[in-house]
Amino acid sequence: MARYFTMLILLSVAASSAARAAGTAKDSFQKIRPLLFQLSTSAQQDAEKKAYGTGFVIDAHGLLITNFHVVADAVNEPETAKIYLIDNTESTPVDVVDFDVIHDLALIRVPREFSSQIRIASEAPDNGDTIFSLGLPEDLDWTVVSGIYNGVIDQKPYELIHLSAPLNSGMSGGPTVNDKSELVGVNVSGYVSSQNISFSIPAKYAVKLLADYQARTDKDQPFDPTKKLESQLTSLQEILTRDLLASAKGKKDLYGWKIPKAPSYVRCWGTQNKSAPKTVKSYSETCGLTNQVHVDDDIALGHYRLGHLLNENSGMSPFSFMRYLGLDWDGLTTDDWNYFDEKRRVNPGQKTCLSRKVNVATRQVVAEACYRPILPLKDLYQATLKFFTRQGNEKAQTSIIELNGFSRKSIVAILETYLKNFGEVGRDKH
Amino acid sequence: MINIEVYDGGRLIEKCVATRFPFRVGRQSRNDLIVPLAHCPGVICEIDRKENGYAVREGDTANVLAGRLIVTSGRLRVVIEDITHFDSETTQEVQVAKSNSGTYADSWISLGLFSILTAQVILIEYYNPLRKSSVDLFQPLVVYSLIAISVSASLSILSRAINHQYEFFRILRSSLTSLCLTPLIVQDLYGARWFLPSFFHFKEGYFTIWYLWGLLSLLLLTKVVFEHIGNYVRFSFVSGSLALVALLQFNDYVPIRDSFKYPTPETKALQIINSVGTPVEFDDFIKLIDESMSESADK
């Protein structure tokens, strides 16, 4: 009897809590729904949409916030893609007047006045607070989903709110609000393979984008997306480079080599290569930024990847060992970005590769640097730096640094730092 | 059938019949005399110019007279009757050499096996990622061939000069041929640095090298110990060659099978990681990349 009583209490508490949450979701939906619009990208006004997302009114004087990736096609291929605001069955052409490509935000101007605008939360929710995300998932109907606020993930330079809410395609650009229906973030992404791990962009970046636009004196002048992309990506890569170079001063011992450390916000994975022959001990470690700046569906910039392959020969002939290392050298490189489309704003330029045997301190390193300019962005490149060295036929190290959207100065500085530190022998701990 | 007579200073010391070429009339002995083969049944004898240097040897005079081949070497004279195989008109030294240039089935097998081995080594060498360039592929082969020829020639001259027994040098030359393949394999194992002092410092686990040396030593030892059992030597040689080929196919340290086991990496990749040329200094490389990027930006 006592046991039955305890269970009853718990259930009633849960029921009470659920009832409260459902009520707030309904409130949020009712308050926010009038501020939500579908934004679609299509070739012409009456043509079928090629992409769509959600936008919400942040300024009643015709300004909406959405994700950059929702309108990326229109920004990058203005000749073949236009953005339209869908209000019931009415389709209105709209313009992108500003964007923050780093934080995946875009500001849309609509030639009309709205009756209200979203309220901005004055402070971030506490971890564990219930929040609500709204949007148009899978082109079904306007939807509100509830979730839990789990704080801001400090993945500099990209900050993201981690929320446990089921965000789906089509909700991108929609608002994430607190229980007072105030904006705390902008829906942006989620892990496909995970359950309810979703992200939204902190509201402060949307507020800043709006404020910057409103502060502009040249609002009537034509907006130049290329220059905007260029300046934002340049600023971003400066931060990434600074952190990368600073962290590289620290080293860790790994399988007998000294490896430069990656910044703390970079995620690393290490694995023992089980497909390697029995006569080779092969360990690989890959570090990379979780987030990327998606300029286009095909073009991701503002990110890098560091890969290290450490092989120890435990009985393989030098012939086979070198052959195996040759495979490694090839296998390290990820798919090259070489898809050119003249209708696109941003395209890859001509690739150049230079490889030399380089004297680095007392060791010889084979170094290869490949780069291609990202056109027409000035002084931004995609570069792949690969290094190889070996100690006799006993062990070898191969490393790769893939830099996407970095300046010449940054690439050279990273090359210099990493090459100088490459191939240093460390303590063998295993 | 061919009647053969061997004279020592005019005295007939051997008379037998050869039914096939090549044929042998005598066997080298310690006292520089042609003596009847102990195991020759008396009706089937063989003459092998290379094996029985005193009987018929390069530089000996050989004449055909009245349908008989007469080979004179010092005070020895070999009379071979009814030689219909030879030209009866001219001096037949060359033809004698030709007639005796045949070899035995096991020798052919050995030759075949070593040809396979050599081909495999060349194949390995061709795909050897440690090889610096395609030109270098032929360099070691040429060098080793020259060494083999010159050493063999030296041994021949030496053995002739000291009037020494010939069998030992024959097997030595065969062994030398095997030996000349060793550096190629060693080159693979040691990464084109076989000629460095480390070549002599065999590392633990390089069983093939030990095996090769062991095999050669065994062949020589066998020949010395079982000098009169030629077939045994040849059998050892054949079986040893077979074992060597098998070992090369399945040994972890010689990567013939790896040529098939691992897909060939992009040649470019191997070229890069084995890049030739003088290494550049660190600062020069950084400057090179910087300038290259600057130039591309200016275009």
Side-chain angles (χ1 to χ4, degrees):
Chain A
M1 182 65 192
R3 188 174 173 182
Y4 175 74
F5 183 73
T6 308
M7 280 183 67
L8 197 65
I9 296 286
L10 288 172
L11 284 171
S12 67
V13 169
S16 163
S17 162
R20 223 177 28 241
T24 310
K26 186 178 175 183
D27 288 348
S28 293
F29 186 78
Q30 286 174 343
K31 285 179 185 170
I32 303 296
R33 169 63 191 92
L35 307 176
L36 300 177
F37 296 93
Q38 185 182 26
L39 292 166
S40 74
T41 309
S42 55
Q44 291 181 351
Q45 192 157 6
D46 295 327
E48 290 299 324
K49 57 182 171 287
K50 49 193 289 200
Y52 72 94
T54 302
F56 62 90
V57 179
I58 196 165
D59 185 328
H61 300 299
L63 292 170
L64 274 70
I65 283 284
T66 188
N67 286 139
F68 179 82
H69 74 256
V70 171
V71 297
D73 279 354
V75 172
N76 287 300
E77 299 175 43
E79 291 177 16
T80 57
K82 312 278 183 204
I83 311 163
Y84 299 94
L85 180 137
I86 312 297
D87 190 3
N88 295 320
T89 55
E90 192 183 333
S91 168
T92 309
V94 296
D95 295 318
V96 176
V97 290
D98 207 346
F99 57 74
D100 176 353
V101 73
I102 310 303
H103 296 100
D104 202 356
L105 290 171
L107 192 64
I108 308 292
R109 186 168 59 197
V110 184
R112 65 185 267 195
E113 292 288 321
F114 297 98
S115 57
S116 61
Q117 64 191 40
I118 201 161
R119 284 187 292 126
I120 312 293
S122 56
E123 56 186 21
D126 292 328
N127 281 28
D129 280 355
T130 302
I131 51 171
F132 305 97
S133 292
L134 297 96
L136 194 65
E138 304 295 349
D139 205 16
L140 295 173
D141 204 350
W142 293 107
T143 301
V144 58
V145 295
S146 66
I148 306 296
Y149 178 88
N150 288 303
V152 174
I153 298 171
D154 192 14
Q155 289 185 321
K156 291 172 187 173
Y158 319 92
E159 280 185 335
L160 287 173
I161 294 170
H162 173 206
L163 51 129
S164 305
L167 293 188
N168 289 289
S169 297
M171 294 179 79
S172 286
T176 298
V177 296
N178 59 18
D179 56 2
K180 294 173 190 165
S181 302
E182 295 168 335
L183 183 74
V184 294
V186 181
N187 307 335
V188 66
S189 60
Y191 285 156
V192 177
S193 57
S194 303
Q195 293 181 351
N196 284 356
I197 297 180
S198 303
F199 303 101
S200 65
I201 303 149
K204 63 181 179 183
Y205 295 108
V207 172
K208 184 174 184 305
L209 181 63
L210 176 67
D212 287 350
Y213 173 73
Q214 288 173 332
R216 267 166 50 182
T217 54
D218 59 345
K219 284 199 277 286
D220 297 330
Q221 297 295 317
F223 174 60
D224 186 354
T226 304
K227 283 200 169 174
K228 196 79 180 177
L229 277 173
E230 200 174 276
S231 67
Q232 291 182 353
L233 288 167
T234 301
S235 304
L236 171 63
Q237 62 87 33
E238 281 171 4
I239 297 168
L240 294 175
T241 304
R242 183 198 62 203
D243 292 352
L244 198 56
L245 296 180
S247 65
K249 289 176 185 167
K251 307 226 177 57
K252 61 178 180 181
D253 284 302
L254 200 62
Y255 285 81
W257 298 94
K258 278 195 182 298
I259 306 291
K261 284 184 177 172
S264 57
Y265 54 81
V266 170
R267 300 190 76 179
C268 294
W269 299 96
T271 182
Q272 199 91 36
N273 187 0
K274 290 178 182 171
S275 63
K278 283 186 284 185
T279 46
V280 170
K281 287 178 188 165
S282 180
Y283 177 82
S284 65
E285 191 168 284
T286 306
C287 301
L289 293 171
T290 310
N291 300 312
Q292 302 176 344
V293 175
H294 289 278
V295 178
D296 199 338
D297 284 347
D298 305 322
I299 309 167
L301 300 174
H303 71 101
Y304 58 80
R305 188 174 74 90
L306 311 169
H308 305 289
L309 249 169
L310 312 169
N311 288 302
E312 187 179 317
N313 186 358
S314 57
M316 190 181 255
S317 75
F319 174 93
S320 301
F321 191 50
M322 287 300 289
R323 205 175 168 85
Y324 183 75
L325 296 174
L327 290 173
D328 272 359
W329 176 270
D330 277 348
L332 268 178
T333 314
T334 52
D335 290 338
D336 211 359
W337 174 52
N338 55 14
Y339 170 61
F340 187 88
D341 182 355
E342 61 181 5
K343 290 177 183 168
R344 206 163 55 181
R345 182 180 301 278
V346 177
N347 273 300
Q350 186 69 36
K351 186 178 181 181
T352 306
C353 281
L354 291 164
S355 56
R356 294 286 187 279
K357 196 179 281 180
V358 186
N359 286 327
V360 180
T362 55
R363 53 195 178 274
Q364 279 193 352
V365 175
V366 176
E368 183 189 63
C370 294
Y371 64 88
R372 64 166 88 240
I374 300 163
L375 302 173
L377 306 180
K378 194 180 171 189
D379 194 29
L380 285 173
Y381 298 83
Q382 185 192 47
T384 305
L385 313 173
K386 282 163 87 172
F387 311 134
F388 169 84
T389 194
R390 65 190 168 110
Q391 280 204 312
N393 294 308
E394 307 304 317
K395 58 181 185 177
Q397 182 189 356
T398 313
S399 290
I400 186 169
I401 306 164
E402 286 180 339
L403 304 165
N404 289 286
F406 282 68
S407 71
R408 174 176 64 88
K409 188 179 166 190
S410 297
I411 290 167
V412 171
I414 292 166
L415 169 68
E416 191 170 1
T417 301
Y418 271 77
L419 184 56
K420 191 176 281 178
N421 293 308
F422 179 77
E424 275 189 76
V425 177
R427 282 175 292 130
D428 204 343
K429 287 181 178 175
H430 69 283
Chain B
M1 285 201 302
I2 301 162
N3 296 317
I4 299 170
E5 293 174 355
V6 181
Y7 294 87
D8 181 9
R11 183 170 65 89
L12 181 65
I13 60 170
E14 174 73 359
K15 188 174 183 180
C16 58
V17 176
T19 55
R20 63 184 175 91
F21 281 92
F23 46 85
R24 176 185 295 173
V25 292
R27 189 173 175 78
Q28 186 175 359
S29 67
R30 296 289 176 196
N31 58 7
D32 295 347
L33 290 173
I34 296 290
V35 295
L37 280 169
H39 58 282
C40 181
V43 290
I44 298 176
C45 297
E46 296 174 340
I47 186 166
D48 185 336
R49 183 181 64 83
K50 290 183 180 178
E51 290 181 4
N52 303 287
Y54 272 106
V56 184
R57 196 174 58 185
E58 196 171 356
D60 291 346
T61 54
N63 291 293
V64 174
L65 190 65
R68 299 195 307 173
L69 176 68
I70 302 168
V71 180
T72 308
S73 177
R75 63 192 201 124
L76 291 175
R77 187 161 56 93
V78 181
V79 179
I80 306 165
E81 292 185 337
D82 302 320
I83 308 295
T84 53
H85 300 76
F86 298 147
D87 185 347
S88 59
E89 296 299 322
T90 55
T91 301
Q92 296 300 312
E93 186 176 346
V94 175
Q95 289 186 357
V96 169
K98 277 184 181 175
S99 70
N100 291 299
S101 64
T103 181
Y104 306 100
D106 51 0
S107 299
W108 280 113
I109 293 169
S110 299
L111 186 67
L113 287 171
F114 269 99
S115 300
I116 292 168
L117 190 63
T118 308
Q120 288 184 330
V121 170
I122 291 169
L123 187 70
I124 291 172
E125 189 61 22
Y126 182 75
Y127 286 112
N128 187 355
L130 302 173
R131 181 161 54 83
K132 289 182 177 176
S133 73
S134 56
V135 179
D136 287 350
L137 169 63
F138 302 102
Q139 184 184 318
L141 290 175
V142 172
V143 171
Y144 302 148
S145 302
L146 286 174
I147 291 171
I149 291 165
S150 58
V151 173
S152 294
S154 303
L155 283 171
S156 296
I157 294 165
L158 185 68
S159 64
R160 189 180 174 84
I162 61 176
N163 204 20
H164 206 279
Q165 304 295 328
Y166 224 67
E167 286 285 326
F168 180 77
F169 291 102
R170 184 172 68 89
I171 193 67
L172 192 61
R173 280 206 303 274
S174 300
S175 303
L176 188 71
T177 311
S178 309
L179 191 65
C180 286
L181 289 171
T182 308
L184 282 173
I185 300 165
V186 174
Q187 184 177 354
D188 284 324
L189 290 171
Y190 284 89
R193 292 177 298 167
W194 63 272
F195 43 83
L196 296 178
S198 61
F199 166 61
F200 299 103
H201 306 157
F202 292 121
K203 292 177 185 175
E204 189 181 355
Y206 283 84
F207 297 117
T208 306
I209 298 298
W210 287 111
Y211 183 85
L212 275 171
W213 281 100
L215 181 69
L216 293 171
S217 306
L218 186 68
L219 283 170
L220 292 172
L221 184 67
T222 306
K223 183 58 194 170
V224 172
V225 175
F226 302 99
E227 191 175 349
H228 299 289
I229 313 174
N231 286 335
Y232 179 81
V233 175
R234 289 194 287 274
F235 176 74
S236 301
F237 195 67
V238 172
S239 57
S241 301
L242 276 171
L244 181 62
V245 170
L247 188 79
L248 289 174
Q249 296 291 350
F250 299 108
N251 190 284
D252 272 346
Y253 300 98
V254 177
I256 291 172
R257 61 174 178 161
D258 289 351
S259 303
F260 311 104
K261 188 173 172 184
Y262 300 114
T264 309
E266 285 291 325
T267 312
K268 186 174 173 292
L270 289 174
Q271 280 175 352
I272 290 169
I273 64 173
N274 296 292
S275 60
V276 290
T278 312
V280 298
E281 293 306 316
F282 178 81
D283 291 339
D284 293 338
F285 182 69
I286 302 298
K287 195 177 169 189
L288 174 76
I289 303 300
D290 195 15
E291 287 176 353
S292 171
M293 291 184 81
S294 295
E295 285 170 15
S296 77
D298 294 340
K299 284 178 186 173

